[in-house]
């Protein structure tokens, strides 16, 4: 009873703080933890019945690892895995470099109103849906009325030429995401003690030297954390980016088909919910292992910069 009484007193003492975190806790409970029960569908031949969702799960036939074979037993397994990994590696590396660069540039703008204007302009694309972005891309890339063909006097059929699309996909992603990601680094830069820069200026350090010797080292912990979180999603692909922007063009599948779009098309064809659940479980498990591995490596070199 002593421990229970002490725990109750701690709860009462911190009730305001606990109440503040309650919405986030409930969100994680209902949208992250309770749905994990549904991962059992990955090992079943799920068939919906009128008895309800849970009854459907219980009554569905066990098929073991058969749902996972859909991802690994086809000729497209290597292609979709390669595309997913390479695109995400490009997004992580280029996104990190450009986000940090943009944050540093914004922090160095003396006119704060102008800096806010630039920040808002770069932040805006993040809130556009991929459907809207897909139509924007089409207005540039249309073979008949596209702006690019009109500007350069060319007649390129962009939605039939796969060689251009790795660059287009990466460019569109960076255009949409870099402004949002730079806000995190900009907030970290704003929290750096200004006296460090003042001391560097007294010692005669240039702006570039201040950035190299103060800004980047102070950003190192947040850079590592953001990179670790991104590695955890390296087997996930943004469905809207790879489906809406290329407009589901079959001739581009060799460079735009990733795990998420492959599963979606398979689900439309076969209607197997267990198959899509298996793909999601596979992505989650691999991401979890990658985060643990990456975090372990970081702890070996810099314990204070690791997630846990």
């Amino acid at each position: 009873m002593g421990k229970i009484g002490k725990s109750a007193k701690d709860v009462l003492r911190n009730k305001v703080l606990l109440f503040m975190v309650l919405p986030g806790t409930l969100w994680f409970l209902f949208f992250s933890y309770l749905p994990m029960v549904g991962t059992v569908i990955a090992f079943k031949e799920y068939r919906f019945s009128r008895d309800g969702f849970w009854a459907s799960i219980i009554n569905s036939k066990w098929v073991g690892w058969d749902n996972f074979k859909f991802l690994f037993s086809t000729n497209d397994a290597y292609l979709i895995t390669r595309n997913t990994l390479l695109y995400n590696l490009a997004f992580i590396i280029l996104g990190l470099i450009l986000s940090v660069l943009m944050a540093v540039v914004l922090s160095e703008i003396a006119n704060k109103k102008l800096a806010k204007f630039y920040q808002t302009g770069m932040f805006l694309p993040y809130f556009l849906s991929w459907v809207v972005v897909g139509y924007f891309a089409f207005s540039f890339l249309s073979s008949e009325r596209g702006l690019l063909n009109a500007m350069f006097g060319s007649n390129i059929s962009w939605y039939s030429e796969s060689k251009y699309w790795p660059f287009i996909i990466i460019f569109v992603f960076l255009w949409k995401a870099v402004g949002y990601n730079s806000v995190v680094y900009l907030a970290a830069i704003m929290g750096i003690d200004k006296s460090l820069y003042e001391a560097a200026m007294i010692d005669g350090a240039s702006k570039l030297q201040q950035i190299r010797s103060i800004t980047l080292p102070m950003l190192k912990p947040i850079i590592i954390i953001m990179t670790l979180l991104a590695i955890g999603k390296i087997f996930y692909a943004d469905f809207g980016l790879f489906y809406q922007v290329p407009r589901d063009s079959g001739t581009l599948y060799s460079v735009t088909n990733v795990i998420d779009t492959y599963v979606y098309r398979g689900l439309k064809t076969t209607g197997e919910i267990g198959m899509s659940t298996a793909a999601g479980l596979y992505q989650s498990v691999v991401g979890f292992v990658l985060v643990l591995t990456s975090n372990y490596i970081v702890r070996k070199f810099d314990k204070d910069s690791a997630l846990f």
Side-chain angles (χ1 to χ4, degrees):
M1 291 295 293
K3 290 184 178 180
I4 296 177
K6 185 179 179 181
S7 299
K9 287 182 179 179
D10 289 338
V11 170
L12 291 175
R13 188 183 303 113
N14 300 291
K15 59 182 179 181
V16 176
L17 297 176
L18 292 173
F19 184 76
M20 290 175 63
V21 302
L22 181 61
T25 303
L26 292 176
W27 188 92
F28 276 105
L29 177 64
F30 287 108
F31 294 100
S32 295
Y33 290 101
L34 286 181
M36 291 177 67
V37 179
T39 56
V40 70
I41 298 176
F43 306 95
K44 287 197 167 193
E45 186 180 351
Y46 180 78
R47 292 292 181 269
F48 182 77
S49 66
R50 294 183 179 180
D51 296 330
F53 175 73
W54 296 110
S56 300
I57 294 179
I58 295 172
N59 296 328
S60 295
K61 176 184 175 183
W62 283 95
V63 294
W65 300 96
D66 289 352
N67 287 325
F68 293 88
K69 293 178 181 178
F70 175 81
L71 285 175
F72 304 108
S73 62
T74 64
N75 296 328
D76 295 324
Y78 168 75
L79 176 69
I80 61 176
T81 303
R82 180 203 66 185
N83 287 346
T84 305
L85 283 174
L86 292 182
Y87 276 121
N88 278 319
L89 283 174
F91 295 161
I92 292 172
I93 296 172
L94 295 177
L96 171 64
I97 294 172
L98 293 178
S99 296
V100 172
L101 178 62
M102 186 178 296
V104 171
V105 171
L106 287 173
S107 67
E108 293 296 330
I109 297 178
N111 190 329
K112 296 305 176 184
K113 290 185 178 180
L114 191 61
K116 291 291 184 182
F117 174 78
Y118 290 147
Q119 183 180 341
T120 302
M122 292 180 291
F123 196 75
L124 182 62
Y126 177 81
F127 294 99
L128 299 177
S129 71
W130 283 117
V131 176
V132 175
V133 175
Y135 278 107
F136 279 164
F138 183 73
S139 67
F140 281 90
L141 303 176
S142 173
S143 57
E144 298 178 357
R145 299 180 180 179
L147 185 60
L148 288 182
N149 283 345
M151 288 176 59
F152 298 105
S154 58
N155 192 27
I156 300 174
S157 181
W158 295 96
Y159 291 93
S160 300
E161 298 286 345
S162 61
K163 62 183 179 180
Y164 301 111
W165 277 90
F167 305 101
I168 295 173
I169 290 289
I170 293 173
F171 173 81
V172 172
F173 174 85
L174 294 176
W175 171 78
K176 193 173 187 294
V178 165
Y180 176 81
N181 293 333
S182 67
V183 173
V184 178
Y185 300 110
L186 181 61
I189 292 174
M190 293 296 101
I192 298 175
D193 190 353
K194 302 301 180 185
S195 62
L196 296 175
Y197 293 102
E198 293 171 358
M201 291 174 63
I202 293 173
D203 291 338
S206 63
K207 281 292 183 182
L208 186 59
Q209 291 173 325
Q210 293 175 37
I211 292 171
R212 186 174 61 249
S213 302
I214 300 175
T215 305
L216 294 181
M218 296 296 287
L219 287 179
K220 178 184 172 183
I222 191 66
I223 289 174
I224 293 175
I225 290 174
M226 295 295 288
T227 303
L228 288 175
L229 294 176
I231 289 174
K233 296 183 178 180
I234 201 169
F235 263 73
Y236 285 86
D238 196 321
F239 176 81
L241 170 62
F242 291 96
Y243 187 82
Q244 298 291 347
V245 176
R247 303 180 69 84
D248 196 26
S249 175
T251 58
L252 304 178
Y253 282 176
S254 61
V255 293
T256 61
N257 203 11
V258 290
I259 294 176
D260 297 75
T261 55
Y262 183 76
V263 170
Y264 172 74
R265 295 184 185 106
L267 186 61
K268 284 202 308 182
T269 304
T270 64
E272 290 290 342
I273 297 177
M275 174 202 68
S276 61
T277 307
L281 180 59
Y282 162 67
Q283 291 172 305
S284 299
V285 170
V286 172
F288 177 69
V289 172
L290 287 174
V291 168
L292 291 180
T293 305
S294 304
N295 189 74
Y296 175 78
I297 295 172
V298 171
R299 282 179 63 88
K300 285 291 184 180
F301 293 94
D302 188 359
K303 187 176 181 179
D304 294 333
S305 299
L307 278 173
F308 47 85

